[in-house]
């Protein structure tokens, strides 16, 4: 048997390739759009991908199911659940509760597990004809230390979904033997559930003892806790739901982008263009194209682009190195971005050498911040991070909602943005700069550096 868990960092998404190398066939479950990894893995093991499954209509990343099926040239079929009234805008095979699929000695059984979404399907894993599963691909219904959130489809459906999720957890997952292994669709960092654990798998026995949500036996209490703990909903989630239900465009490769000379780039970005600078905070702070948004080329780029970039407008990239363009496109594609105007060939070196104007954002250490009397720390972390502890005298504006809260900020004030390490703080500083704030600094090291320095903290009671 072959079983591969494949992590897409940033979106913290786990997909799976599983099959039997004696039968030379396998399936892929919940693929991301950059599908080469599945083709290469199957090739390495001498397997043919014959089935592609989706556990549900994803909200947090762009499905790669259609992309993968197309790349396989008709060899594989795409299987999705129509339970709960789900509808799709693409060709597919329908999976119903109890359907079984065999790949050599490996058997998959579909189980209807609604709650996170109305159509959600999990896949139980069996060795041959044995009656007890050894594992379950739980999608977004059940996570390590957590469960899926039921509030992503609007208030009118939340109550029903929360009740369905409660019964899914109690009557399906908690009814399994302790040694059954849970393989979820997400790990820590995803907003598809509250406080998802950082281990990549777990067991029913462990979750029965330590998963606070799975241990709740009262429906009303479950609703209160799961809805009260849900993190902010990223702005791209409703959009991704619609795109994935309709069927993402099949590209056949990475999205296309062209290199642009300084002159062409400068002409193209006049007006309401989106310039995305993916260099690190220090490089961006030292000099950037005026009006740029800074999101560093780390895996988290996928998520924060989803929060902050308009998919309808072309994106113009400034890179740390032109050789990084494929890596950056891959990260942006994962949250549905395929519309690119071009990238600045030669990067900021070319821009500066051409005598073009550039902007800067000063960096300030936590030591200088503590000593400053006229600088307001602006905490852009999530609400739960802020409540757990923050710099005394700081103001809070969660990064994902910062643009909506700019009116609450004093444009004459001196702000120093901070987060956990400085990555999100630099994004926030670039947003403030975009909107005309003159006195903005970024705090490298941010909260981690403040704590390491031993400075006092405040907590929100």
């Amino acid at each position: 048997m072959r079983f591969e868990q494949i992590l897409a960092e940033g979106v913290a998404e786990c997909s799976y390739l599983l099959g039997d190398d004696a039968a030379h066939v396998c399936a892929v479950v919940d693929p991301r759009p950059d599908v080469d990894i599945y083709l290469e893995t199957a090739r390495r093991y001498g397997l043919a991908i014959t089935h592609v499954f989706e556990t549900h209509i994803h909200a947090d990343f762009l499905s790669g199911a259609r992309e993968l099926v197309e790349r396989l040239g008709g060899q594989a079929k795409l299987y999705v659940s129509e339970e709960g009234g789900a509808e799709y805008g693409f060709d597919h095979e329908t999976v119903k509760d109890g359907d079984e699929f065999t790949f050599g000695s490996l058997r998959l059984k579909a189980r209807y597990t609604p709650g996170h979404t109305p159509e959600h399907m999990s896949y139980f894993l069996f060795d041959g004809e044995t009656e007890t599963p050894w594992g379950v691909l739980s999608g977004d219904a059940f996570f390590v230390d957590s469960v899926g959130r039921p509030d992503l489809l609007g208030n009118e459906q939340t109550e029903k979904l929360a009740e369905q999720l409660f019964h899914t957890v109690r009557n399906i997952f908690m009814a399994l033997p302790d040694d059954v292994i849970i393989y979820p669709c997400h790990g820590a960092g995803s907003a598809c559930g509250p406080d998802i654990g950082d281990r990549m798998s777990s067991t029913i026995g462990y979750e029965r003892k330590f998963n606070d949500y799975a241990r709740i036996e009262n429906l009303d209490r479950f609703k209160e806790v799961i809805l009260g703990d849900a993190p902010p909903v990223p702005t791209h989630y409703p959009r991704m739901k619609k795109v994935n239900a309709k069927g993402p465009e099949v590209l056949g490769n990475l999205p296309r982008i062209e290199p642009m000379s300084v002159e062409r780039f400068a002409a193209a970005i006049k007006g309401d263009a989106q310039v995305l600078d993916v260099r690190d905070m220090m490089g961006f702070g030292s000099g950037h194209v005026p009006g740029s948004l800074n999101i560093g080329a780390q895996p988290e780029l996928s998520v924060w682009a989803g929060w902050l970039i308009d998919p309808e407008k072309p994106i113009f990239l400034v890179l740390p190195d032109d050789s990084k363009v494929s890596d950056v496109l891959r990260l942006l594609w994962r949250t549905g971005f395929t519309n690119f105007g071009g990238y600045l060939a030669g990067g900021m070196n070319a821009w500066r050498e051409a005598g073009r104007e550039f902007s800067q954002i000063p960096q300030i250490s936590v030591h200088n911040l503590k000593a400053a009397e006229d600088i307001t720390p602006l905490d852009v972390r999530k609400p739960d991070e802020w409540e757990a502890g923050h710099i005394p005298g700081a103001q809070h504006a969660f990064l994902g909602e910062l643009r909506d809260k700019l009116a609450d900020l004093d444009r004459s004030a001196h702000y120093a943005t901070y987060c956990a390490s400085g990555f999100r703080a630099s994004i926030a500083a670039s947003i403030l700069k975009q909107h005309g704030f003159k006195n903005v600094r970024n705090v490298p090291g941010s909260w981690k550096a403040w704590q390491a320095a031993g400075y006092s903290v405040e907590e929100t009671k």
Side-chain angles (χ1 to χ4, degrees):
M1 187 189 75
R2 295 294 183 181
F3 183 92
E4 292 279 329
Q5 183 187 61
I6 298 168
L7 174 65
E9 294 185 280
V11 291
E13 189 264 339
C14 299
S15 52
Y16 297 86
L17 184 147
L18 58 166
D20 187 319
D21 59 8
H24 301 289
V25 292
C26 68
V28 173
V29 181
D30 291 332
R32 67 201 199 200
D34 44 315
V35 299
D36 283 345
I37 191 166
Y38 311 110
L39 302 173
E40 292 165 0
T41 302
R43 189 178 302 121
R44 185 169 73 247
Y45 291 136
L47 303 174
I49 301 172
T50 58
H51 295 63
V52 178
F53 296 98
E54 294 273 60
T55 54
H56 64 293
I57 301 172
H58 302 285
D60 59 299
F61 72 100
L62 189 72
S63 167
R66 293 189 71 231
E67 188 77 30
L68 180 56
V69 168
E70 183 69 20
R71 294 279 292 275
L72 290 166
Q75 171 179 272
K77 292 184 178 181
L78 172 53
Y79 295 81
V80 295
S81 166
E82 289 186 0
E83 301 281 5
E87 297 180 352
Y88 304 87
F90 53 88
D91 292 337
H92 62 274
E93 302 291 324
T94 300
V95 178
K96 297 185 180 301
D97 184 47
D99 285 351
E100 295 191 5
F101 305 86
T102 301
F103 305 89
S105 63
L106 175 65
R107 181 165 55 94
L108 271 66
K109 183 174 183 178
R111 289 299 310 272
Y112 183 41
T113 51
H116 176 66
T117 63
E119 80 287 347
H120 196 287
M121 196 74 68
S122 297
Y123 290 93
F124 285 29
L125 309 175
F126 297 83
D127 186 7
E129 297 302 316
T130 57
E131 296 183 359
T132 302
W134 56 264
V136 55
L137 304 180
S138 58
D140 286 18
F142 199 98
F143 298 121
V144 174
D145 297 333
S146 186
V147 296
R149 61 189 300 172
D151 62 335
L152 294 180
L153 297 182
N155 294 333
E156 66 280 0
Q157 296 195 55
T158 295
E159 187 78 12
K160 178 181 178 180
L161 287 171
E163 183 171 346
Q164 287 182 322
L165 182 64
F166 174 77
H167 292 300
T168 287
V169 172
R170 299 302 312 165
N171 300 335
I172 296 181
F173 289 103
M174 290 298 96
L176 291 169
D178 282 353
D179 58 356
V180 173
I181 305 170
I182 293 287
Y183 295 103
C185 187
H186 291 291
S190 170
C192 287
D195 301 319
I196 298 175
D198 58 5
R199 288 171 291 112
M200 302 305 295
S201 62
S202 186
T203 64
I204 290 295
Y206 182 92
E207 299 302 315
R208 200 188 312 279
K209 290 182 179 179
F210 301 109
N211 186 322
D212 290 339
Y213 304 96
R215 295 170 62 191
I216 299 174
E217 298 183 0
N218 176 271
L219 174 58
D220 291 335
R221 176 59 179 163
F222 179 83
K223 290 179 181 179
E224 177 186 358
V225 173
I226 191 65
L227 297 177
D229 289 352
V233 179
T235 53
H236 63 291
Y237 276 26
R239 171 173 59 87
M240 284 288 90
K241 274 281 187 186
K242 294 178 182 178
V243 171
N244 285 331
K246 180 182 178 181
E249 178 186 5
V250 174
L251 300 185
N253 209 322
L254 289 174
R256 294 182 61 183
I257 190 170
E258 63 172 312
M260 303 180 78
S261 67
V262 171
E263 291 74 20
R264 285 191 63 210
F265 193 86
I269 65 173
K270 287 181 178 179
D272 192 28
Q274 296 187 112
V275 181
L276 175 61
D277 189 320
V278 298
R279 293 175 299 151
D280 66 22
M281 70 184 83
M282 305 301 283
F284 180 81
S286 68
H288 55 268
V289 175
S292 300
L293 175 68
N294 176 227
I295 311 177
Q298 298 180 18
E300 292 79 8
L301 169 61
S302 303
V303 175
W304 289 112
W307 269 103
L308 300 170
I309 293 178
D310 185 346
E312 300 302 320
K313 297 179 181 178
I315 300 168
F316 294 87
L317 290 176
V318 179
L319 302 159
D321 185 287
D322 289 16
S323 66
K324 301 296 184 184
V325 65
S326 294
D327 294 337
V328 170
L329 291 177
R330 192 172 293 111
L331 291 172
L332 291 169
W333 193 16
R334 290 177 186 171
T335 41
F337 295 99
T338 59
N339 185 7
F340 295 95
Y343 69 90
L344 178 60
M348 279 305 295
N349 285 338
W351 185 267
R352 285 191 294 264
E353 289 168 2
R356 295 285 176 169
E357 178 185 358
F358 59 87
S359 297
Q360 294 178 301
I361 294 178
Q363 311 294 307
I364 184 172
S365 71
V366 292
H367 312 291
N368 290 337
L369 177 61
K370 185 176 185 301
E373 297 181 356
D374 62 341
I375 299 177
T376 300
L378 182 62
D379 189 320
V380 299
R381 296 174 299 161
K382 294 183 295 184
D384 61 333
E385 294 176 283
W386 160 263
E387 292 168 3
H390 53 266
I391 295 174
Q395 194 170 343
H396 181 243
F398 169 55
L399 175 58
E401 302 167 351
L402 178 58
R403 285 178 176 150
D404 296 329
K405 295 183 176 180
L406 292 176
D408 298 333
L409 302 180
D410 181 358
R411 289 182 175 272
S412 65
H414 291 246
Y415 287 109
T417 56
Y418 80 92
C419 59
S421 64
F423 179 82
R424 289 173 288 173
S426 188
I427 302 173
S430 71
I431 291 173
L432 294 180
K433 194 79 171 179
Q434 281 181 326
H435 288 84
F437 285 76
K438 304 296 185 183
N439 303 307
V440 181
R441 294 170 175 80
N442 181 60
V443 185
S446 284
W447 180 242
K448 291 180 180 178
W450 185 271
Q451 288 184 300
Y455 295 144
S456 61
V457 303
E458 286 184 350
E459 294 182 7
T460 301
K461 302 299 183 183

